[in-house]
Every structure is written in C-alpha cells, then in structure tokens.
Amino acid sequence: MSLLELDGVKVHFPVKKGILFDRTVGHVYAVDGISLSVEAGQTYGLVGESGCGKTTLGRAVLRLVDVTDGRVVLDGTDVAQLPEKEMRSFRRRLQMVFQDPLGSLNPRQNIESILSEGMAAHGIGGNREERREKIKEILAKVGLPGNALSRYPHEFSGGQRQRIGIARALVLEPDLIICDEPVSALDVSIQAQVVNLLEELQKSMGLTYLVIAHDLAVVRHISDVIGVMYLGSLVEEAPSDALYEEPRHPYTRALMSAVPVPDPEVEDRRERILLLGDLPSPANPPAGCRFHTRCPWKQDTRCATERPELRDLGGGHRVACHFAAEIASGEITRTSGEVVPAAHEGSGGSGGSEASGAPRASGASGGGAAKGSSSGERASEAPAGT
Amino acid sequence: MSLATTKTSKIDRLAELTAKKETSSGASLWREAFRRLRGSKMAIIGAVVIAAFVVVAIVGPWLAPYSPTAQTWRGEVLANQGEFVGARGENWFGLDHLGRDMFSRMLVGARQTLLVGVVSMLIGLVLGALVGAVSGAAATLGGRAGQRLDDVVMRVTDIMLALPSLLLAVSIAAVLGQSLTTVMIAVGVVQIPIFARLLRGSMLAQGGKDYVLAARSLGIRKRRIVLTQIMPNSLSPVIVQATLSLATAIIEAAALSYLGLGNPDPAIPEWGVMLSQAQRFFDNAPMMSMYPAVAIIITALGFTLLGEAMREALDPKLRG
C-alpha cells in the first residue's frame, strides 16, 4: 500500500464580497479533484505553471488549508477527517520545506529555538540537553556546524537557511516531507547542493518526498514519478523517464518542448510548441477538458463537453486526454497553435507578423514551467546571433 | 550525475565552510536594532531631551527655588490692569497672574505632564494592544468564527476612529466629570483604536508568513504560535507608535486642560493647564504662555525623534 494516497481531493476557496459582512459569491477551484499515490521511499514530483494549484495541493496534504472534498490518506489515516487535536500530534509524520528560506524562519528565534520548538510540542527528547544533542546530530546531517545553534536566520546565506528549513522538518522524523519549490529561490550552484542533500537524506533516512516545483530539470533529477498539473487537476502522471521521453498529454508536450537539450545538434532541431492565450481563471474554469481552450490538438467532439479522466495507457503512464492514443499514433494532427524552431525563439519578427507577437509571448509563459533554466538566456542571446 | 557521488564528505565540507565564517555568537534582532539606534543622531537627540524631561519630572519639586503654589508676590501683579512681572534675577521666568514663581511652576508641572502623557499612552497601548491582539489572533488562526469576531471588533474600532479624537475626548471628559484622571482616560481611550488597528494589521501581515505556516505544520499549539511567533514580530510598529503617541497624548491633554476639562484644582501646576490659563493674558504677558508651550513642543519633539529613529532601527528592510 502506498504511503500517501489522495482520492478526489478538492480545495475550493470561497470568493467573498460584502459591505458589512461578507457573502460568498463564488469559488476559486484551486484544486479540483486530484487522485494520486506516493510510494514509501520514493519521490513524487508535481509540476505545473504558477497558479495551477500545486502549492495549494501541498498545503491541503498538510491540512494547512481545509480540504473541501476527498480523502488524504497517510498510512491508513485520513488526514482530512482527523479532529483538530489528533491532527496536531499527527503532524509529526508530515513535514514541509518551504520555498522562501528566509521567510519560513522566524527572524526573532535563534536556530536552537527554531529546531527545538517542534520537538517540545511533540514531547521528543526529555530535556533541553537531550534536545540539543539531537539537534546537533541533525545539523551535522544537513551540513551545518554545531555552533550555528545560537545564531539567527539573518546571519546565514540562502542555501544555509534552506538547510536549516530541512533540518527543522527532519527533527520530527517524519514519514513524508512536502518540498514546496525547495530550490527555486536559490542560486543555481546552491540548487544542486540542496537537491543532492535531499537525495542523500532520502537514502540514509528512508524519507518519502512530494516535491512541488516548476523547474522541469530539477523535478526530473529528483523524482521517481511525476504528475503534471493544469488548472487544479492532474493531466498526466508517469514514471519520470517515461514522461520526459514520451509526453502524452498535449499540455505536457508543450511544456517539454520548452526544455532545452544539452546536445547542440538536437537543440538546433528542437521545435517549440507555443500555446495560445492565458491560463484561464480557476474561479471560472472551462467546461469539459480544462485545457481545451489552449490545446493545439483540440477536437470538435468531446473536448469542450466531457471532462477526461486519467486513463492508464500502460506502464503506469496515466493521461487525462480523450485523444491521447490518437495523437501519439499520429491519427490526429494539430488544429491550431504554432510550432517554431526553438533556436529562433525570442528573436522577434522571424516567425510572423507583429500581431502574432502577443500570443507568442503568452505561449512562452505557458511554457513558463521551464523558466529559469535557460530559455531566458536564449532569448537575450538570440538577437545578437541573428 | 557526478554531483551525486561522495556526498558524505561533501556535507562535512559544508559544515566546515559554514563554521569558518563564524565570527559572531549570534545577535538577536532587538540587540541589533539597539546597536543601530545608538548610532543615530536623531535617536540620541530624542533620548537626551526625554532624559532631561524625565529627570526634571522626578527631581523638579526639589529643584524649584520657591513653592509653586504660594502667591508670594501677589501684590506686584495686577492682572486686571495688565500689569505683569517678566523674567528677573529673583524669578527667572517671571511671575504668573497670581504672583507665583513661573520657573518653580514649570519644574513642578513637568511631573504632572509626564504622568498624563505616560498614563494615557499606557491606557491606549494596553487596551488597544489587547483588542488588536484578540482580533489579529482570531483573524489569522481562528478559522471562520474568528474572522466573524474580527469583523465585529474592527467595525467597532472603525466607528471610534471615525470620530474626531478631540471631540471624543471632550465627550468622555464631559461624561466622567472634571479631573486629571478624566483627562488621562479620555486621551487614552482615543488612542485605543489606533493601537488596535496597528497591532491587528501587523499580526495579519505576520500571520501570512511562511514561518507561521511552518509552526502550524510542526504541530505547535495555536496559542503558542500567537505568543511566540506572531506577537514578537508584530510589536515593533506598536512600540514606535507608543513613543509617537506619548507626544500627541501630552498635546491632547494640554488641549483638554485648555478647554477647562482638566484638573479642577488650578493650583497644582501642569503645563497644559498653565498654558490655558496664560492664554487669557496673552496680550499683556505673552511670555507666560510661551514657557509651557515651548516646553510641551520640545518634549513632544523628543518623543517623536526617538520614535522615528526606532522605526528606522526596527525596519528589517534597512538591516545591513
């Protein structure tokens, strides 16, 4: 049995309006029916562009936001249904590493106080001395010296702070750690350091991770299974390598086409699928397939009316697209959208008229899940090259 | 991935690198703010003014050369005919309209003025912080019921804020009758919504920070999160506001005294009362109003300077 199982999890935020007292006028469907499972000792990567609900999903698992519907089962216990009091002691088994290393540490607490607080709340380590020993042990594991104890968060660098955040999660010896964009706020050189540390800790302590990120390279490196989210739901889920080698959902294909390839010859031939339009508002999601408004393979039947379920296409590769098989076999070709050679990306007027400039820009932001790595650099270099 | 190999030694190396840079033994934010405060000219001037004011307030009665209430030179002042006595060797600040030594009255009056300022600021601070803390805690961690409570509390403070502060103080003074306590309560009550709003807003801002989420995911009790995580980080604007409102409290108390709602016994000197009495003789003896007025202004300025310097010292964005 899997360590963590999500079954039809929904998180809807009420939209309120009112002069004196607020009235609910609608909902933001941040997470809208997600089912997935994370195996013990493995890493599940969750990717998607900003606003797709991946952070909310992570918080729902920790019950930092209330789950509207569905079940979040950790090791046989439904976290979403636990009474407040039991939930508090259950939190020991679920921990989180945050995106902003400085913001996630209380600036007025020193490191010892930050790390011992959780232990005190759960009665781990009888007295101060025992706790201090344990903290020193954990600090050594994340590569911080014992004399860090009396120092304050602002005295550390970004990477060091993130390692403190990881240490805070580790002191409670959790089963599952949710890493919400664990490296996106760090320099690239430090990113590798932290990712390697996470992997090392997983091996030595048998941890299970749910990694939420938008950086496809990081996710591929660290994950065993990857889920791709779009507008509050999962569109594709597959073992890491399978997803990168053969993305089956149109959205995933567009995302993957934004990832640069290290081989210059392949890179020259790489084609970029540009998505049209913006991410629709999660307060008013499109009917049918959530992606049909931007899908380059959109069909006249089913897409706009029927919401696709995740279907297993073999080998644990699950896709939520009515026509995934047909697209893969080439029976269906693109009906809209634009494909440009990646090498010309960002070079202004090369691919079309002025009018196509706007959708292209938003198409690039659709592929923004891959931002950071190198598409930005390419864009700035391209004009010089042409 | 060659990066993934020989990691244990790498982690030790990390610890070494971090240890090498170790110089300080850890300075808390408060200590650092204090260090920066000492380097600020504004803070030093403000602190010196306040210190002088406090010293005078404490030892004033013993420094005063004459009794502040005895009408020793009554015969020399004919207020009705516009005959006053200005500064002279015997009486440095001259005499007031009843023939009392102005200098002695100023020295002794400092204590009353400080008392009014501090007590009414404390009334506003304590009650306001209480209301703000309840409201802020309810709004951040109290769930749906907490937000309702916060809504109600904030609407009430909005109503209080909507009334002009002096008008509110006058109404309170009118209801409670004429006394020094009334002035302190009236001026203090006016400050309550300001402190409440400030602390609540600050707590809401802190409540949304990741470290509060982190504390929640650690399973720390909500009450403890409010007290150890949210509160210490929300207090700095409130402390700054406290020093600033000390200045306004002194001025407002003086205004109430001036309107005749202060201490019913005019024999006890207080700067605000002295100013209000001197006002009647402003045409013939302008210096009589000048001394208490300038003293109030300088004191208020001292508190304002220190408050502003503290705001800068406590601002995390300016931390360097």
Side-chain angles (χ1 to χ4, degrees):
Chain A
M1 205 186 110
S2 320
L3 180 68
L4 176 74
E5 275 187 44
L6 306 190
D7 182 17
V9 172
K10 293 182 182 175
V11 181
H12 298 171
F13 295 112
V15 180
K16 293 192 169 176
K17 233 183 201 170
I19 302 163
L20 267 183
F21 294 99
D22 298 336
R23 231 160 14 91
T24 303
V25 292
H27 286 92
V28 172
Y29 302 91
V31 175
D32 205 20
I34 286 202
S35 304
L36 57 84
S37 55
V38 183
E39 304 297 326
Q42 290 208 328
T43 301
Y44 190 104
L46 207 54
V47 289
E49 60 196 296
S50 20
C52 72
K54 52 193 196 300
T55 294
T56 307
L57 182 68
R59 290 184 178 178
V61 173
L62 283 162
R63 218 169 101 184
L64 294 174
V65 294
D66 283 329
V67 176
T68 314
D69 193 22
R71 302 194 313 141
V72 179
V73 182
L74 182 80
D75 207 8
T77 312
D78 188 354
V79 175
Q81 298 300 325
L82 271 187
E84 186 80 12
K85 216 173 175 184
E86 284 166 48
M87 184 63 214
R88 218 165 41 74
S89 49
F90 197 76
R91 285 191 186 284
R92 183 180 170 178
R93 307 184 57 183
L94 280 162
Q95 283 300 306
M96 185 153 183
V97 173
F98 292 84
Q99 174 172 21
D100 173 11
L102 184 58
S104 68
L105 301 172
N106 184 346
R108 298 197 194 280
Q109 278 185 308
N110 63 24
I111 305 308
E112 179 173 11
S113 166
I114 288 174
L115 295 183
S116 65
E117 204 159 34
M119 297 171 79
H122 293 281
I124 307 173
N127 55 38
R128 218 186 149 86
E129 280 311 306
E130 273 177 48
R131 279 188 211 133
R132 180 170 291 176
E133 280 315 304
K134 172 110 200 249
I135 289 170
K136 280 189 175 163
E137 209 178 286
I138 300 278
L139 280 181
K141 272 190 187 151
V142 299
L144 287 167
N147 60 10
L149 282 181
S150 62
R151 291 158 73 190
Y152 288 80
H154 65 266
E155 297 174 89
F156 292 90
S157 72
Q160 290 168 349
R161 285 176 197 145
Q162 194 58 297
R163 281 184 270 141
I164 294 167
I166 293 170
R168 171 174 56 192
L170 289 179
V171 286
L172 295 184
E173 295 166 354
D175 299 326
L176 176 74
I177 296 184
I178 293 167
C179 304
D180 187 0
E181 304 269 12
V183 297
S184 65
L186 305 173
D187 290 346
V188 176
S189 57
I190 307 295
Q191 286 189 357
Q193 194 191 75
V194 169
V195 166
N196 288 336
L197 174 66
L198 285 173
E199 283 193 322
E200 170 67 19
L201 291 169
Q202 180 166 44
K203 255 180 245 158
S204 64
M205 301 176 76
L207 296 167
T208 308
Y209 294 133
L210 175 61
V211 176
I212 297 163
H214 64 248
D215 189 327
L216 296 169
V218 167
V219 172
R220 178 178 196 177
H221 178 62
I222 199 172
S223 306
D224 298 302
V225 179
I226 295 177
V228 182
M229 271 184 83
Y230 182 79
L231 215 61
S233 48
L234 219 47
V235 294
E236 184 162 4
E237 185 194 80
S240 166
D241 287 334
L243 187 84
Y244 279 82
E245 272 154 28
E246 198 190 355
R248 307 292 283 272
H249 193 280
Y251 178 63
T252 320
R253 292 172 81 122
L255 275 189
M256 294 304 168
S257 77
V259 180
V261 185
D263 182 340
E265 294 208 357
V266 181
E267 174 67 11
D268 264 357
R269 277 179 275 120
R270 183 169 69 95
E271 289 192 328
R272 185 84 167 71
I273 302 168
L274 297 175
L275 296 177
L276 299 176
D278 278 329
L279 187 68
S281 161
N284 186 19
C289 174
R290 294 276 146 103
F291 188 56
H292 83 264
T293 52
R294 297 167 78 191
C295 182
W297 283 272
K298 188 200 159 204
Q299 298 298 304
D300 294 332
T301 53
R302 299 179 81 188
C303 284
T305 51
E306 195 183 326
R307 194 168 169 192
E309 297 285 321
L310 277 178
R311 286 182 299 141
D312 199 326
L313 298 183
H317 203 134
R318 299 199 295 157
V319 184
C321 177
H322 298 303
F323 301 102
E326 287 84 343
I327 292 170
S329 65
E331 269 174 60
I332 292 177
T333 49
R334 274 180 298 101
T335 52
S336 66
E338 203 180 345
V339 169
V340 294
H344 291 253
E345 182 189 330
S347 57
S350 74
S353 65
E354 282 275 282
S356 70
R360 176 171 308 161
S362 60
S365 80
K371 81 179 172 205
S373 41
S374 77
S375 59
E377 287 162 35
R378 292 190 56 82
S380 60
E381 281 166 15
T386 44
Chain B
M1 280 288 152
S2 62
L3 277 173
T5 55
T6 65
K7 255 175 287 176
T8 32
S9 64
K10 272 188 180 167
I11 287 170
D12 290 342
R13 175 87 182 119
L14 273 179
E16 252 172 61
L17 285 175
T18 317
K20 260 184 202 162
K21 286 204 301 197
E22 168 77 17
T23 45
S24 72
S25 61
S28 84
L29 280 186
W30 292 115
R31 214 179 304 165
E32 219 180 274
F34 182 68
R35 185 180 54 73
R36 258 175 302 145
L37 210 53
R38 275 189 323 199
S40 147
K41 270 185 197 135
M42 208 155 76
I44 290 171
I45 296 172
V48 165
V49 170
I50 294 167
F53 176 52
V54 171
V55 167
V56 168
I58 293 168
V59 302
W62 292 285
L63 287 181
Y66 308 103
S67 156
T69 49
Q71 302 173 2
T72 319
W73 296 273
R74 195 175 191 170
E76 293 177 41
V77 181
L78 295 167
N80 292 342
Q81 282 135 55
E83 258 182 56
F84 291 90
V85 177
R88 58 182 184 181
E90 207 175 340
N91 313 99
W92 291 356
F93 286 1
L95 302 175
D96 74 352
H97 59 290
L98 295 173
R100 295 173 295 198
D101 181 42
M102 274 296 279
F103 184 62
S104 304
R105 287 181 66 77
M106 286 297 297
L107 288 182
V108 177
R111 181 180 288 184
Q112 289 283 331
T113 308
L114 184 68
L115 197 69
V116 171
V118 169
V119 170
S120 47
M121 180 274 282
L122 283 180
I123 291 174
L125 175 67
V126 171
L127 295 180
L130 215 61
V131 172
V134 167
S135 199
T140 45
L141 297 174
R144 221 160 282 172
Q147 272 161 19
R148 264 290 135 87
L149 174 69
D150 173 59
D151 267 347
V152 173
V153 173
M154 279 305 115
R155 288 307 83 81
V156 174
T157 58
D158 279 351
I159 292 169
M160 280 176 78
L161 271 177
L163 293 170
S165 60
L166 200 59
L167 193 67
L168 186 61
V170 167
S171 333
I172 293 168
V175 170
L176 294 179
Q178 196 185 18
S179 79
L180 193 66
T181 327
T182 303
V183 171
M184 293 195 273
I185 291 172
V187 174
V189 166
V190 168
Q191 314 263 12
I192 290 176
I194 299 171
F195 281 109
R197 273 256 165 216
L198 194 67
L199 183 59
R200 171 190 174 266
S202 181
M203 284 177 75
L204 282 191
Q206 296 297 329
K209 292 261 173 78
D210 276 354
Y211 67 82
V212 175
L213 271 184
R216 282 177 61 199
S217 67
L218 283 175
I220 297 168
R221 281 169 206 282
K222 281 179 179 175
R223 200 183 316 149
R224 201 176 149 77
I225 293 178
V226 169
L227 291 178
T228 66
Q229 309 276 334
I230 300 180
M231 276 296 249
N233 285 295
S234 312
L235 280 178
S236 43
V238 177
I239 290 167
V240 172
Q241 177 62 32
T243 60
L244 295 176
S245 77
L246 243 170
T248 50
I250 291 174
I251 293 169
E252 277 189 9
L256 286 188
S257 301
Y258 175 72
L259 292 171
L261 293 161
N263 197 337
D265 180 6
I268 299 171
E270 194 270 325
W271 293 350
V273 184
M274 288 165 71
L275 180 62
S276 87
Q277 286 170 344
Q279 210 73 15
R280 283 191 285 147
F281 313 107
F282 191 76
D283 287 343
N284 296 312
M287 288 313 284
M288 219 171 101
S289 339
M290 225 43 113
Y291 297 119
V294 169
I296 289 171
I297 290 168
I298 290 176
T299 312
L301 188 69
F303 281 112
T304 312
L305 282 179
L306 186 67
E308 285 294 336
M310 273 171 76
R311 189 209 300 282
E312 272 175 29
L314 290 170
D315 189 346
K317 271 178 247 137
L318 298 172
R319 198 165 60 214

